[in-house]
Amino acid sequence: MITSNDFKNGMTIELDGKLMTVVEFLHVKPGKGSAFVRTKLKDLKTGFCVEKTFKAGEKLVKAHIEKKPMQFLYVNDGEYTFMDNETYDQITLSEDFVGDAKKWMTDGMDVHILFHETTPLGVEVPNFVELTVTSTDPGFKGDTATGGSKPATLETGTTIQVPLFVNIDDKLQIDTRTGQYLKRV
């Protein structure tokens, strides 16, 4: 059990039979009346966000989420297969379930899959990945005065904006949280 005073961003709680993640919270102590905590919660199953207010010190049940390191093996007809690094058990998840993580995953990549009891909740890719450029327009010498950018398609099929000097077969470091180019590797 936790109280509403213990909230942190990213904390997962059980509320009305649903798993909710705290997106943001604010402790409010008005001049008159008792203190309260205003929160924005995200339903882990549906992805919808709701705003809810709790009394200061209100008791809630903290959900126990387990992060299992797993290896992404392959995609077959929109089904993503992962292998547990310890037991070698395999699980298959749908394309909708994997969500935006699929933009950054390559075969053999280590990811974390979030579980509540035995139910998978989501896929977390590393914050930084290294991917190879498969297609992009050529850059022109001396065309850097404006600090421009151009689209480049990565080995996963994702298109991002990169500086003009990036060429095909360059390996790039990408921030998966923002989808931005960081540097050439």
Side-chain angles (χ1 to χ4, degrees):
M1 293 290 273
I2 61 167
T3 67
S4 58
N5 297 335
D6 299 329
F7 281 163
K8 290 180 177 65
N9 289 343
M11 181 180 279
T12 306
I13 60 171
E14 291 182 32
L15 184 67
D16 302 328
K18 297 178 184 175
L19 289 176
M20 309 291 266
T21 299
V22 177
V23 177
E24 39 183 71
F25 67 96
L26 177 68
H27 291 279
V28 180
K29 186 158 180 7
K32 217 174 190 182
S34 60
F36 59 91
V37 181
R38 189 175 293 135
T39 62
K40 184 174 182 181
L41 303 170
K42 180 179 178 183
D43 188 327
L44 284 177
K45 263 197 174 143
T46 63
F48 291 119
C49 288
V50 295
E51 293 185 6
K52 185 151 176 70
T53 303
F54 297 95
K55 295 177 192 167
E58 187 173 335
K59 292 186 187 263
L60 300 157
V61 178
K62 182 176 180 182
H64 295 286
I65 305 297
E66 182 182 359
K67 260 189 192 182
K68 272 192 176 178
M70 299 190 101
Q71 184 178 31
F72 170 57
L73 297 177
Y74 59 87
V75 181
N76 187 17
D77 294 333
E79 298 287 317
Y80 289 72
T81 303
F82 298 88
M83 178 182 69
D84 189 319
N85 291 341
E86 296 169 6
T87 63
Y88 304 110
D89 292 336
Q90 293 184 7
I91 63 168
T92 303
L93 302 172
S94 70
E95 186 172 0
D96 292 338
F97 183 85
V98 174
D100 284 345
K102 68 184 172 197
K103 294 195 281 187
W104 315 114
M105 292 189 320
T106 57
D107 294 351
M109 176 184 274
D110 287 328
V111 298
H112 285 100
I113 299 193
L114 304 174
F115 285 91
H116 177 256
E117 295 166 358
T118 58
T119 309
L121 297 175
V123 178
E124 278 187 1
V125 293
N127 290 339
F128 305 103
V129 294
E130 294 179 2
L131 299 172
T132 305
V133 176
T134 56
S135 72
T136 187
D137 295 330
F140 296 105
K141 192 168 192 160
D143 198 10
T144 59
T146 58
S149 62
K150 62 182 179 178
T153 304
L154 305 172
E155 62 187 292
T156 59
T158 304
T159 302
I160 64 167
Q161 293 295 316
V162 297
L164 296 171
F165 59 80
V166 172
N167 298 313
I168 294 174
D169 293 331
D170 282 354
K171 197 170 198 97
L172 308 178
Q173 188 176 46
I174 311 295
D175 186 339
T176 59
R177 297 165 294 187
T178 62
Q180 291 183 332
Y181 159 88
L182 293 175
K183 65 181 179 181
R184 203 165 29 173
V185 182

